[in-house]
Coordinates of all heavy atoms in Angstrom, one line a residue:
M1 N -6.2 12.3 27.9 CA -7.0 11.9 28.8 C -7.6 13.1 29.5 O -6.7 13.7 30.2 CB -6.6 10.7 29.6 CG -7.6 10.2 30.5 SD -7.0 8.7 31.2 CE -7.5 8.9 32.9
R2 N -8.8 13.2 29.7 CA -9.4 14.3 30.5 C -10.4 13.7 31.6 O -11.1 12.6 31.3 CB -10.2 15.3 29.7 CG -9.3 16.0 28.8 CD -10.2 17.1 28.0 NE -9.4 18.1 27.3 CZ -8.9 17.8 26.0 NH1 -9.1 16.7 25.6 NH2 -8.2 18.8 25.6
I3 N -10.4 14.3 32.8 CA -11.5 13.8 33.7 C -12.8 14.4 33.2 O -13.0 15.6 32.8 CB -11.1 14.6 35.2 CG1 -9.8 14.0 35.7 CG2 -12.2 14.3 36.2 CD1 -9.3 14.8 36.8
E4 N -13.7 13.5 33.1 CA -15.0 13.8 32.6 C -16.0 14.1 33.8 O -17.0 14.9 33.6 CB -15.6 12.7 31.8 CG -14.6 12.4 30.5 CD -14.7 13.5 29.6 OE1 -15.5 14.4 29.6 OE2 -13.7 13.7 28.8
E5 N -15.9 13.4 34.8 CA -16.8 13.6 36.1 C -15.8 13.7 37.3 O -14.9 13.0 37.3 CB -17.6 12.4 36.2 CG -18.8 12.3 35.2 CD -19.7 11.2 35.3 OE1 -20.1 11.0 36.6 OE2 -19.9 10.5 34.5
H6 N -16.4 14.5 38.2 CA -15.7 14.7 39.5 C -17.0 14.8 40.5 O -17.9 15.5 40.3 CB -14.8 15.9 39.4 CG -13.9 16.1 40.6 ND1 -14.4 16.6 41.7 CD2 -12.6 15.6 40.7 CE1 -13.2 16.5 42.5 NE2 -12.1 16.0 41.9
P7 N -16.6 14.3 41.7 CA -17.7 14.4 42.8 C -18.1 15.8 43.3 O -19.1 15.9 43.7 CB -17.1 13.3 43.9 CG -15.6 13.2 43.6 CD -15.5 13.4 42.2
I8 N -17.2 16.6 43.3 CA -17.4 18.0 43.7 C -17.1 19.1 42.8 O -17.6 20.3 43.0 CB -16.7 18.3 45.1 CG1 -15.2 18.2 44.9 CG2 -17.2 17.5 46.2 CD1 -14.4 18.6 46.1
L9 N -16.4 18.9 41.7 CA -16.3 19.9 40.7 C -16.9 19.8 39.5 O -17.3 18.6 39.1 CB -14.7 19.9 40.3 CG -13.7 20.2 41.5 CD1 -12.3 20.0 40.8 CD2 -13.9 21.6 41.9
D10 N -17.5 20.9 38.9 CA -18.1 20.9 37.5 C -17.0 21.4 36.6 O -16.3 22.5 36.9 CB -19.3 21.9 37.5 CG -20.5 21.2 38.4 OD1 -20.5 20.1 38.3 OD2 -21.1 22.0 38.9
F11 N -17.0 21.0 35.4 CA -16.2 21.5 34.4 C -16.8 22.2 33.4 O -17.8 21.8 32.8 CB -15.3 20.3 33.7 CG -14.6 19.5 34.7 CD1 -15.0 18.2 35.1 CD2 -13.4 19.9 35.2 CE1 -14.2 17.5 35.9 CE2 -12.6 19.3 36.0 CZ -12.9 18.0 36.4
D12 N -16.4 23.5 33.1 CA -16.9 24.3 32.0 C -15.7 24.4 31.0 O -14.9 25.4 31.2 CB -17.4 25.6 32.4 CG -17.9 26.6 31.3 OD1 -18.0 25.9 30.1 OD2 -18.0 27.7 31.4
R13 N -15.4 23.5 30.1 CA -14.4 23.5 29.3 C -14.5 24.6 28.1 O -13.5 25.0 27.4 CB -14.0 22.2 28.9 CG -13.5 21.2 29.7 CD -12.9 20.0 29.2 NE -12.2 19.3 30.1 CZ -12.6 18.3 30.8 NH1 -13.9 17.8 30.6 NH2 -11.9 17.6 31.8
G14 N -15.6 25.1 27.9 CA -15.9 25.9 26.7 C -16.1 25.2 25.4 O -16.3 24.0 25.4
E15 N -15.8 26.1 24.5 CA -15.8 25.4 23.1 C -14.7 24.6 22.6 O -13.5 25.0 22.9 CB -16.0 26.7 22.0 CG -16.3 26.5 20.7 CD -16.4 27.8 20.0 OE1 -16.7 28.8 20.6 OE2 -15.9 27.8 18.7
K16 N -15.1 23.6 21.9 CA -14.0 22.7 21.3 C -13.3 23.3 20.1 O -13.9 23.9 19.2 CB -14.5 21.4 21.0 CG -13.4 20.4 20.5 CD -13.9 19.2 20.0 CE -14.3 18.1 21.1 NZ -14.7 16.8 20.6
I17 N -11.9 23.4 20.2 CA -11.1 23.9 19.1 C -10.1 23.1 18.7 O -9.7 22.1 19.4 CB -10.6 25.4 19.6 CG1 -9.8 25.4 20.9 CG2 -11.7 26.4 19.7 CD1 -8.4 25.2 20.6
T18 N -9.3 23.4 17.7 CA -8.0 22.7 17.3 C -7.0 23.8 17.1 O -7.3 24.9 16.8 CB -8.1 21.9 15.9 OG1 -8.6 22.7 14.9 CG2 -9.3 20.9 16.2
F19 N -5.8 23.3 17.4 CA -4.5 24.2 17.3 C -3.3 23.2 16.7 O -3.6 22.0 16.7 CB -4.2 24.9 18.5 CG -3.8 24.0 19.7 CD1 -2.5 23.9 20.0 CD2 -4.8 23.7 20.5 CE1 -2.2 23.2 21.1 CE2 -4.4 22.9 21.7 CZ -3.1 22.6 22.0
F20 N -2.3 23.7 16.6 CA -1.2 23.1 16.0 C -0.1 22.8 17.0 O 0.3 24.0 17.5 CB -0.8 23.5 14.7 CG -1.8 23.6 13.6 CD1 -2.6 24.6 13.4 CD2 -2.0 22.5 12.9 CE1 -3.6 24.5 12.5 CE2 -3.0 22.3 12.0 CZ -3.9 23.3 11.8
Y21 N 0.4 21.7 17.3 CA 1.5 21.5 18.1 C 2.6 20.9 17.3 O 2.4 19.8 16.8 CB 1.2 20.7 19.3 CG 2.4 20.0 19.9 CD1 3.3 20.9 20.8 CD2 2.7 18.7 20.0 CE1 4.3 20.3 21.3 CE2 3.8 18.2 20.6 CZ 4.6 19.0 21.4 OH 5.7 18.5 21.9
N22 N 3.7 21.5 17.1 CA 4.7 21.1 16.3 C 4.3 20.6 14.9 O 4.7 19.5 14.3 CB 5.6 19.9 17.0 CG 6.5 20.5 18.1 OD1 6.7 21.7 18.1 ND2 7.0 19.7 18.9
G23 N 3.3 21.4 14.4 CA 2.7 21.1 13.1 C 1.6 20.0 13.1 O 1.0 19.8 12.1
Q24 N 1.3 19.4 14.1 CA 0.3 18.5 14.3 C -1.0 19.0 14.9 O -0.8 19.7 15.9 CB 0.7 17.2 15.2 CG 2.0 16.5 14.8 CD 1.8 15.3 14.2 OE1 0.8 14.6 14.5 NE2 2.7 14.8 13.3
E25 N -2.2 18.6 14.4 CA -3.3 19.2 15.0 C -3.7 18.6 16.2 O -3.6 17.3 16.4 CB -4.4 18.9 13.9 CG -5.7 19.7 14.2 CD -6.6 19.6 13.0 OE1 -7.2 18.5 12.9 OE2 -6.8 20.6 12.3
V26 N -4.1 19.3 17.2 CA -4.5 19.0 18.6 C -5.8 19.5 19.0 O -6.0 20.7 18.6 CB -3.2 19.3 19.5 CG1 -3.7 19.0 21.0 CG2 -2.1 18.7 19.3
E27 N -6.5 18.7 19.8 CA -7.8 19.2 20.2 C -7.5 20.0 21.5 O -6.9 19.4 22.3 CB -8.7 18.1 20.4 CG -10.2 18.3 20.3 CD -10.9 17.0 20.2 OE1 -11.1 16.3 21.3 OE2 -11.3 16.5 19.2
G28 N -8.4 21.0 21.8 CA -8.5 21.7 23.0 C -9.8 22.4 23.3 O -10.7 22.2 22.4
Y29 N -9.8 23.1 24.4 CA -11.1 23.7 24.7 C -10.8 25.2 25.1 O -9.6 25.3 25.7 CB -11.8 23.1 25.9 CG -12.3 21.7 25.4 CD1 -11.6 20.5 25.5 CD2 -13.7 21.7 25.0 CE1 -12.1 19.3 25.3 CE2 -14.2 20.4 24.7 CZ -13.4 19.3 24.9 OH -13.9 18.1 24.4
T30 N -11.7 26.1 24.8 CA -11.4 27.6 25.0 C -11.2 27.8 26.5 O -10.4 28.9 26.8 CB -12.4 28.5 24.5 OG1 -13.7 28.0 25.0 CG2 -12.5 28.4 22.9
N31 N -11.6 27.2 27.4 CA -11.4 27.4 28.8 C -10.3 26.6 29.5 O -10.2 26.6 30.6 CB -12.7 27.3 29.6 CG -13.8 28.3 29.3 OD1 -13.4 29.3 28.7 ND2 -15.0 28.0 29.6
E32 N -9.6 25.8 28.7 CA -8.4 25.2 29.3 C -7.1 25.7 28.8 O -7.0 26.3 27.7 CB -8.6 23.7 29.1 CG -8.2 23.2 27.6 CD -8.4 21.6 27.6 OE1 -8.7 21.0 28.5 OE2 -8.1 21.3 26.5
T33 N -6.1 25.5 29.6 CA -4.8 26.0 29.2 C -4.1 25.2 28.1 O -4.5 24.0 27.9 CB -3.9 26.1 30.4 OG1 -3.7 24.7 30.9 CG2 -4.3 26.9 31.6
I34 N -3.2 25.8 27.5 CA -2.4 25.0 26.4 C -1.8 23.7 27.0 O -1.9 22.7 26.4 CB -1.3 26.0 25.8 CG1 -2.0 27.1 25.0 CG2 -0.5 25.1 24.9 CD1 -0.9 28.2 24.7
V35 N -1.2 23.8 28.2 CA -0.6 22.4 28.7 C -1.6 21.6 29.0 O -1.3 20.4 29.0 CB 0.4 23.0 29.8 CG1 -0.4 23.2 31.2 CG2 1.5 22.0 30.0
A36 N -2.8 22.0 29.5 CA -3.8 20.9 29.8 C -4.2 20.2 28.5 O -4.4 19.0 28.6 CB -4.9 21.5 30.5
A37 N -4.3 20.9 27.4 CA -4.8 20.3 26.1 C -3.5 19.3 25.7 O -3.9 18.3 25.2 CB -5.0 21.3 25.0
L38 N -2.3 19.9 25.7 CA -1.2 19.0 25.4 C -1.0 17.8 26.3 O -0.8 16.6 25.8 CB 0.1 19.8 25.4 CG 0.2 20.9 24.4 CD1 1.6 21.7 24.6 CD2 0.2 20.3 23.0
H39 N -1.3 17.9 27.6 CA -1.2 16.8 28.5 C -2.3 15.7 28.1 O -2.0 14.7 28.1 CB -1.5 17.2 30.0 CG -1.0 16.3 30.9 ND1 0.4 16.2 31.3 CD2 -1.7 15.3 31.7 CE1 0.4 15.2 32.2 NE2 -0.8 14.8 32.5
A40 N -3.6 16.2 27.8 CA -4.6 15.4 27.5 C -4.3 14.6 26.1 O -4.7 13.5 25.9 CB -5.9 16.1 27.1
A41 N -3.4 15.2 25.3 CA -3.0 14.6 24.0 C -1.8 13.8 24.3 O -1.2 13.2 23.2 CB -2.6 15.7 23.1
G42 N -1.3 13.6 25.4 CA -0.2 12.7 25.7 C 1.3 13.4 25.6 O 2.2 12.7 25.8
V43 N 1.3 14.7 25.5 CA 2.6 15.3 25.4 C 3.0 15.7 26.9 O 2.3 16.4 27.6 CB 2.4 16.7 24.7 CG1 3.8 17.5 24.6 CG2 2.0 16.4 23.2
R44 N 4.2 15.3 27.2 CA 4.8 15.5 28.5 C 6.0 16.4 28.4 O 6.4 17.2 29.2 CB 5.1 14.0 29.2 CG 3.9 13.1 29.4 CD 3.0 13.7 30.3 NE 1.8 12.8 30.6 CZ 0.8 12.7 29.9 NH1 0.5 13.6 29.0 NH2 -0.2 11.9 30.3
K45 N 6.8 16.2 27.5 CA 8.0 17.0 27.3 C 7.7 18.3 26.5 O 7.2 18.3 25.4 CB 9.1 16.3 26.5 CG 10.5 17.0 26.3 CD 11.4 16.3 25.5 CE 12.7 17.1 25.2 NZ 12.6 17.7 23.9
L46 N 7.9 19.3 27.1 CA 7.5 20.7 26.5 C 8.6 21.5 25.9 O 8.5 22.4 25.1 CB 6.8 21.6 27.6 CG 5.6 20.9 28.4 CD1 5.2 21.9 29.5 CD2 4.5 20.6 27.4
G47 N 9.9 21.0 26.3 CA 11.0 21.8 25.7 C 12.3 21.2 26.3 O 12.3 20.0 27.0
A48 N 13.4 21.9 26.2 CA 14.7 21.4 26.7 C 15.4 22.7 27.4 O 15.2 23.9 27.0 CB 15.5 20.8 25.7
S49 N 16.1 22.4 28.5 CA 16.8 23.5 29.2 C 17.8 24.1 28.2 O 18.4 23.5 27.3 CB 17.5 23.0 30.4 OG 18.5 22.1 30.0
P50 N 18.1 25.5 28.4 CA 18.9 26.2 27.5 C 20.4 25.7 27.4 O 21.1 25.6 26.4 CB 18.9 27.6 28.1 CG 17.7 27.8 28.9 CD 17.5 26.4 29.3
E51 N 21.0 25.3 28.6 CA 22.4 24.9 28.5 C 22.8 23.5 28.5 O 23.6 23.1 27.7 CB 23.1 25.7 29.8 CG 23.1 27.1 29.8 CD 23.8 27.8 30.8 OE1 24.6 27.3 31.4 OE2 23.6 29.0 31.0
L52 N 22.0 22.7 29.3 CA 22.4 21.2 29.2 C 21.3 20.5 28.5 O 21.5 19.3 28.3 CB 22.4 20.7 30.7 CG 23.4 21.4 31.7 CD1 23.3 20.9 33.0 CD2 24.9 21.1 31.1
H53 N 20.3 21.2 27.9 CA 19.4 20.5 27.0 C 18.6 19.3 27.6 O 18.3 18.4 27.0 CB 20.0 20.1 25.6 CG 20.8 21.3 25.1 ND1 20.2 22.3 24.6 CD2 22.0 21.5 25.0 CE1 21.1 23.1 24.0 NE2 22.3 22.7 24.4
R54 N 18.2 19.5 29.0 CA 17.7 18.4 29.6 C 16.1 18.6 29.3 O 15.6 19.8 29.3 CB 17.8 18.6 31.2 CG 19.3 18.3 31.6 CD 19.4 18.4 33.1 NE 20.6 18.1 33.5 CZ 21.2 18.6 34.7 NH1 20.6 19.5 35.3 NH2 22.4 18.1 35.0
P55 N 15.3 17.6 29.3 CA 13.9 17.8 29.0 C 13.1 18.5 30.1 O 13.5 18.3 31.1 CB 13.4 16.3 28.9 CG 14.5 15.4 29.4 CD 15.8 16.2 29.4
R56 N 12.2 19.3 29.7 CA 11.4 20.0 30.6 C 9.9 19.7 30.4 O 9.5 19.5 29.3 CB 11.7 21.6 30.4 CG 13.0 22.0 30.9 CD 13.0 23.5 31.0 NE 14.3 24.0 31.7 CZ 14.6 25.0 32.0 NH1 13.8 26.1 31.4 NH2 15.5 25.4 32.7
G57 N 9.3 19.8 31.6 CA 7.8 19.4 31.5 C 7.1 20.4 32.5 O 7.6 21.2 33.0
L58 N 5.8 20.0 32.7 CA 5.2 20.8 33.6 C 5.7 20.6 35.1 O 6.0 19.7 35.5 CB 3.6 20.2 33.7 CG 2.7 21.1 34.4 CD1 2.5 22.5 33.9 CD2 1.3 20.4 34.3
F59 N 5.8 21.9 35.8 CA 6.3 21.8 37.0 C 5.5 22.6 38.0 O 4.8 21.9 38.8 CB 7.8 22.5 37.2 CG 8.5 22.4 38.4 CD1 8.9 21.3 38.9 CD2 8.7 23.5 39.2 CE1 9.5 21.1 40.1 CE2 9.3 23.6 40.3 CZ 9.7 22.3 41.0
C60 N 5.4 23.9 38.1 CA 4.6 24.5 39.1 C 3.1 24.6 38.6 O 2.1 24.6 39.4 CB 5.1 25.9 39.3 SG 4.8 27.2 37.9
A61 N 2.8 24.8 37.3 CA 1.5 24.8 36.6 C 0.7 26.0 37.2 O -0.5 26.1 37.0 CB 0.7 23.6 37.0
I62 N 1.4 27.1 37.7 CA 0.7 28.4 38.2 C 1.5 29.6 37.6 O 1.3 30.7 38.1 CB 0.6 28.4 39.7 CG1 1.9 28.2 40.4 CG2 -0.4 27.4 40.1 CD1 1.8 28.7 41.9
G63 N 2.4 29.4 36.7 CA 3.1 30.6 36.0 C 4.1 31.2 36.8 O 4.6 32.3 36.6
N64 N 4.8 30.4 37.7 CA 5.8 31.0 38.6 C 7.1 30.5 38.2 O 8.2 30.8 38.9 CB 5.5 30.6 40.1 CG 4.6 31.6 40.6 OD1 4.3 32.7 40.1 ND2 4.1 31.3 41.7
C65 N 7.4 29.5 37.2 CA 8.8 29.1 36.9 C 8.9 29.2 35.3 O 8.3 29.8 34.7 CB 8.9 27.6 37.3 SG 7.9 26.4 36.4
S66 N 9.9 28.5 34.9 CA 10.1 28.7 33.4 C 10.1 27.3 32.7 O 10.5 27.1 31.7 CB 11.5 29.3 33.1 OG 12.5 28.6 33.8
S67 N 9.6 26.3 33.5 CA 9.6 24.9 32.9 C 8.7 24.7 31.8 O 9.0 23.8 30.9 CB 9.2 24.0 34.1 OG 9.5 22.7 33.8
C68 N 7.6 25.4 31.5 CA 6.8 25.3 30.5 C 7.0 26.2 29.2 O 6.0 26.3 28.5 CB 5.3 25.3 31.0 SG 4.8 26.9 31.5
F69 N 8.0 26.9 29.2 CA 8.3 27.9 28.1 C 8.1 27.2 26.8 O 8.7 26.2 26.6 CB 9.6 28.4 28.2 CG 9.8 29.7 29.1 CD1 11.0 30.3 29.3 CD2 8.8 30.3 29.7 CE1 11.3 31.3 30.1 CE2 8.9 31.3 30.7 CZ 10.1 31.8 30.8
M70 N 7.2 27.7 25.9 CA 7.0 27.3 24.5 C 7.0 28.4 23.6 O 6.8 29.6 24.2 CB 5.8 26.3 24.5 CG 5.8 25.0 25.2 SD 4.5 23.9 25.1 CE 5.1 22.9 23.7
T71 N 7.1 28.3 22.4 CA 6.8 29.4 21.4 C 5.3 29.3 20.9 O 4.9 28.2 20.4 CB 7.8 29.2 20.2 OG1 9.1 29.3 20.8 CG2 7.7 30.2 19.2
V72 N 4.5 30.3 21.0 CA 3.1 30.3 20.6 C 3.1 31.4 19.5 O 3.2 32.7 19.8 CB 2.4 30.5 21.9 CG1 0.9 30.6 21.4 CG2 2.5 29.5 22.9
D73 N 2.6 31.1 18.4 CA 2.4 32.0 17.3 C 3.7 33.0 17.2 O 3.5 34.3 17.2 CB 1.2 32.8 17.5 CG -0.1 32.1 17.3 OD1 0.0 31.1 16.5 OD2 -1.1 32.4 17.9
D74 N 4.8 32.3 17.2 CA 6.1 32.9 17.0 C 6.7 33.8 18.1 O 7.7 34.5 18.1 CB 6.3 33.9 15.7 CG 6.1 33.0 14.3 OD1 6.6 31.9 14.4 OD2 5.5 33.6 13.4
E75 N 5.9 33.8 19.2 CA 6.3 34.5 20.5 C 6.9 33.5 21.3 O 6.3 32.6 21.8 CB 5.1 35.2 21.1 CG 5.5 35.9 22.3 CD 4.3 36.4 23.2 OE1 3.3 36.6 22.5 OE2 4.5 36.9 24.3
P76 N 8.3 33.6 21.7 CA 9.1 32.7 22.5 C 8.6 32.9 23.9 O 8.2 34.0 24.5 CB 10.5 33.0 22.2 CG 10.4 34.4 21.8 CD 9.2 34.7 21.1
N77 N 9.0 31.9 24.8 CA 8.9 32.1 26.3 C 7.5 32.3 26.8 O 7.4 33.0 27.8 CB 10.0 33.1 26.8 CG 11.4 32.8 26.4 OD1 11.7 31.7 26.2 ND2 12.2 33.8 26.3
V78 N 6.6 31.7 26.2 CA 5.2 31.7 26.6 C 5.0 30.7 27.6 O 5.4 29.5 27.5 CB 4.3 31.6 25.4 CG1 2.9 31.6 26.1 CG2 4.4 32.8 24.5
R79 N 4.4 31.0 28.9 CA 4.2 30.1 29.9 C 2.8 29.5 29.6 O 1.8 29.9 29.9 CB 4.2 30.8 31.3 CG 5.5 31.1 31.8 CD 5.4 31.9 33.2 NE 6.7 31.9 33.8 CZ 7.5 33.1 33.6 NH1 7.1 34.1 32.9 NH2 8.6 33.1 34.2
V80 N 2.9 28.2 29.0 CA 1.7 27.6 28.5 C 0.7 27.0 29.6 O -0.4 26.7 29.3 CB 1.9 26.6 27.5 CG1 2.7 27.2 26.1 CG2 2.9 25.5 28.0
C81 N 1.2 27.1 30.8 CA 0.4 26.6 31.9 C -0.6 27.7 32.4 O -1.4 27.4 33.0 CB 1.1 26.2 33.1 SG 2.1 27.5 34.0
V82 N -0.5 29.0 31.9 CA -1.4 30.0 32.2 C -2.1 30.6 31.0 O -2.7 31.7 31.1 CB -0.9 31.0 33.2 CG1 -0.4 30.3 34.4 CG2 0.5 31.6 32.5
V83 N -1.8 30.1 29.8 CA -2.4 30.7 28.7 C -3.4 29.8 28.1 O -3.1 28.5 27.9 CB -1.3 31.0 27.5 CG1 -1.9 31.5 26.3 CG2 -0.3 32.1 28.1
K84 N -4.6 30.3 27.7 CA -5.7 29.4 27.3 C -5.6 29.1 25.7 O -4.9 29.9 25.0 CB -7.1 30.0 27.6 CG -7.3 30.1 29.1 CD -8.7 30.6 29.3 CE -9.0 30.5 30.8 NZ -10.4 31.3 31.1
C85 N -6.1 28.0 25.4 CA -6.2 27.6 24.0 C -7.0 28.5 23.1 O -8.1 29.1 23.5 CB -6.8 26.3 23.9 SG -6.0 24.9 24.7
K86 N -6.5 28.7 21.8 CA -7.3 29.6 20.8 C -7.3 28.8 19.5 O -6.3 28.0 19.2 CB -6.5 30.9 20.5 CG -6.7 31.8 21.6 CD -6.2 33.1 21.3 CE -5.8 34.0 22.4 NZ -4.5 34.8 22.2
Q87 N -8.3 28.9 18.9 CA -8.5 28.2 17.5 C -7.3 28.5 16.6 O -7.1 29.8 16.4 CB -9.7 28.5 16.9 CG -10.0 28.1 15.5 CD -10.1 26.5 15.5 OE1 -10.7 25.9 16.4 NE2 -9.6 25.9 14.5
G88 N -6.7 27.6 16.0 CA -5.7 27.7 15.0 C -4.2 28.1 15.5 O -3.5 28.4 14.7
M89 N -4.1 28.3 16.7 CA -2.7 28.8 17.2 C -1.7 27.9 17.0 O -2.0 26.7 16.8 CB -2.7 29.2 18.7 CG -2.9 28.1 19.6 SD -3.0 28.8 21.3 CE -3.4 27.2 22.1
R90 N -0.4 28.3 16.8 CA 0.7 27.3 16.5 C 1.6 27.4 17.7 O 2.2 28.3 18.2 CB 1.4 27.9 15.3 CG 0.8 27.7 14.0 CD 1.4 28.3 12.8 NE 1.4 29.9 13.0 CZ 2.4 30.6 13.3 NH1 3.6 30.1 13.4 NH2 2.2 31.8 13.3
V91 N 1.7 26.3 18.4 CA 2.5 26.0 19.5 C 3.7 25.1 19.3 O 3.5 24.2 18.6 CB 1.7 25.3 20.7 CG1 2.4 25.1 22.0 CG2 0.4 26.2 21.1
E92 N 4.8 25.6 19.5 CA 6.0 24.8 19.2 C 6.9 24.5 20.5 O 7.1 25.4 21.4 CB 6.9 25.5 18.2 CG 6.3 25.7 16.8 CD 6.8 26.8 15.9 OE1 8.1 27.0 16.0 OE2 6.1 27.3 15.2
E93 N 7.5 23.3 20.6 CA 8.4 23.0 21.6 C 9.6 24.0 21.5 O 10.1 24.3 20.4 CB 9.0 21.6 21.3 CG 9.6 21.0 22.5 CD 10.1 19.6 22.3 OE1 9.1 18.7 22.0 OE2 11.1 19.2 22.4
Q94 N 10.1 24.3 22.7 CA 11.4 25.3 22.6 C 12.5 24.7 23.3 O 12.4 24.4 24.4 CB 10.7 26.6 23.4 CG 11.9 27.7 23.5 CD 11.2 28.9 24.1 OE1 10.2 29.4 23.7 NE2 12.0 29.5 25.1
N95 N 13.5 24.4 22.4 CA 14.7 24.0 23.0 C 15.6 25.0 23.2 O 16.1 25.5 22.2 CB 15.1 22.8 22.1 CG 14.1 21.7 22.1 OD1 13.7 21.1 23.1 ND2 13.6 21.3 20.8
G96 N 16.0 25.3 24.5 CA 16.9 26.4 24.7 C 16.2 27.6 24.8 O 15.1 27.7 25.0
R97 N 16.9 28.8 24.6 CA 16.4 30.1 24.8 C 15.6 30.3 23.6 O 15.9 29.9 22.3 CB 17.4 31.1 24.8 CG 18.3 31.0 26.1 CD 19.3 32.1 26.3 NE 19.9 31.9 27.5 CZ 20.9 31.2 27.8 NH1 21.4 30.3 27.1 NH2 21.4 31.2 29.0
G98 N 14.5 31.0 23.7 CA 13.6 31.3 22.5 C 14.2 32.3 21.6 O 15.2 32.9 21.9
V99 N 13.7 32.1 20.3 CA 14.2 33.0 19.2 C 13.1 33.9 18.8 O 12.0 33.5 18.6 CB 14.7 32.1 18.1 CG1 15.2 33.0 16.9 CG2 15.9 31.2 18.5
V100 N 13.4 35.2 18.6 CA 12.4 36.2 18.2 C 12.7 36.2 16.7 O 13.8 36.6 16.2 CB 12.6 37.6 18.9 CG1 11.6 38.5 18.4 CG2 12.5 37.6 20.4
R101 N 11.5 36.0 16.0 CA 11.6 36.0 14.6 C 11.1 37.3 14.0 O 10.0 37.8 14.5 CB 10.7 34.8 13.9 CG 11.3 33.5 14.2 CD 10.4 32.4 13.6 NE 10.7 31.1 14.2 CZ 10.0 30.3 14.7 NH1 8.5 30.6 14.5 NH2 10.3 29.2 15.1
V102 N 11.9 38.0 13.4 CA 11.4 39.4 12.8 C 11.1 39.3 11.3 O 11.6 38.5 10.5 CB 12.5 40.4 13.1 CG1 12.0 41.3 14.2 CG2 13.8 39.9 13.4
Ligands
LIG1 S1 5.0 25.2 34.8 FE1 5.9 26.7 35.8 S2 5.4 28.5 34.8 FE2 4.3 26.9 33.8

């Protein structure tokens, strides 16, 4: 769900695109962050903590914590609250520490 109208803010979401979240196609916009698109699609759990495997979700939303770490196009530990959506990118839930694929 996205806010369509606001009394004092205008939204410039940019171009509509699609990307993949855990293999499922998700809709987003070029001017919104990955987590905003996932939130609009109903995704609340973004990963799990490294040691106790507790669920993690959006926390600070400004790039200052590690709560939203996800793997984006094989790059682990991407803060998806500050990275914008791109057509065709692959976003995966990250459970524990990220793994660098070589
Ligand atoms: S939610 Fe804190 S860095 Fe993204």
Side-chain angles (χ1 to χ4, degrees):
M1 180 172 140
R2 288 181 173 88
I3 298 172
E4 299 297 334
E5 286 183 48
H6 192 278
I8 57 171
L9 298 175
D10 288 326
F11 297 108
D12 176 16
R13 292 197 163 98
E15 185 182 330
K16 187 184 272 192
I17 53 101
T18 58
F19 64 96
F20 297 93
Y21 164 67
N22 288 346
Q24 304 258 333
E25 201 168 67
V26 175
E27 202 172 80
Y29 292 87
T30 52
N31 288 344
E32 74 180 1
T33 61
I34 296 169
V35 81
L38 292 176
H39 198 82
V43 176
R44 300 293 184 269
K45 180 179 175 266
L46 305 175
S49 65
E51 295 188 15
L52 299 176
H53 308 288
R54 292 178 177 153
R56 287 187 165 180
L58 189 61
F59 184 66
C60 74
I62 56 171
N64 280 344
C65 72
S66 59
S67 194
C68 68
F69 276 176
M70 297 185 91
T71 301
V72 178
D73 289 335
D74 293 331
E75 181 183 343
N77 301 332
V78 174
R79 288 180 167 94
V80 295
C81 68
V82 291
V83 174
K84 289 184 179 175
C85 296
K86 287 188 204 142
Q87 175 65 38
M89 68 184 176
R90 289 171 291 110
V91 178
E92 294 162 32
E93 190 175 308
Q94 186 174 304
N95 293 304
R97 292 181 175 83
V99 176
V100 177
R101 296 181 192 132
V102 257

